[in-house]
Amino acid sequence: MSSARRCSKTACGRPAVMTLTYVYADQTAVVGPLALHAEPHAYDLCEFHSERLSAPRGWEVLRLAADPSLAGPSSDDLLALADAVREAARPLPPREPAITRPAEHGMRETSRRGHLRALSSD
């Protein structure tokens, strides 16, 4: 099975390019750019069916045009990626040494878990 999404119309095998959703409260059918993920209450449509869509009587069809500049990564996306790589490659500052206390009344540290320590007497 192909990973490309197909038109939801019966017997149509063309690739989907638009997504149809219904806003029942506003009596509106919205046809917009193909959604990132297939959703159970949205319908993927090919170009042919998305152009010829009609809504029930009294409903409005709202068509959202796909913005071609959003198709690929923008310069902001590339700059953010470069900044993230630079930040990850930056060396960590040296850690301050842990504060050591002299042995208190013949006690010695036997184990440590986080900020807690177990002491035993000699």
Side-chain angles (χ1 to χ4, degrees):
M1 179 178 234
S2 174
S3 64
R5 289 165 33 197
R6 301 285 175 195
C7 183
S8 297
K9 290 288 190 174
T10 305
C12 181
R14 290 184 281 259
V17 295
M18 302 293 272
T19 297
L20 166 67
T21 54
Y22 291 105
V23 182
Y24 294 98
D26 297 334
Q27 294 185 337
T28 305
V30 181
V31 180
L34 188 63
L36 295 177
H37 304 285
E39 307 237 354
H41 300 291
Y43 304 91
D44 295 336
L45 299 175
C46 64
E47 186 174 359
F48 177 81
H49 287 114
S50 67
E51 291 173 356
R52 288 158 182 77
L53 175 81
S54 62
R57 187 173 306 173
W59 282 52
E60 180 183 358
V61 176
L62 181 61
R63 297 180 190 276
L64 304 174
D67 186 1
S69 67
L70 296 177
S74 69
S75 60
D76 288 342
D77 294 336
L78 296 175
L79 289 174
L81 180 60
D83 290 341
V85 169
R86 276 190 220 105
E87 181 70 27
R90 185 174 297 144
L92 296 174
R95 291 183 60 186
E96 294 181 18
I99 298 172
T100 56
R101 297 182 183 158
E104 300 166 358
H105 306 290
M107 304 289 261
R108 66 181 173 86
E109 185 176 316
T110 58
S111 66
R112 181 178 282 266
R113 182 174 291 170
H115 67 283
L116 303 175
R117 58 186 181 150
L119 302 174
S120 70
S121 60
D122 291 332

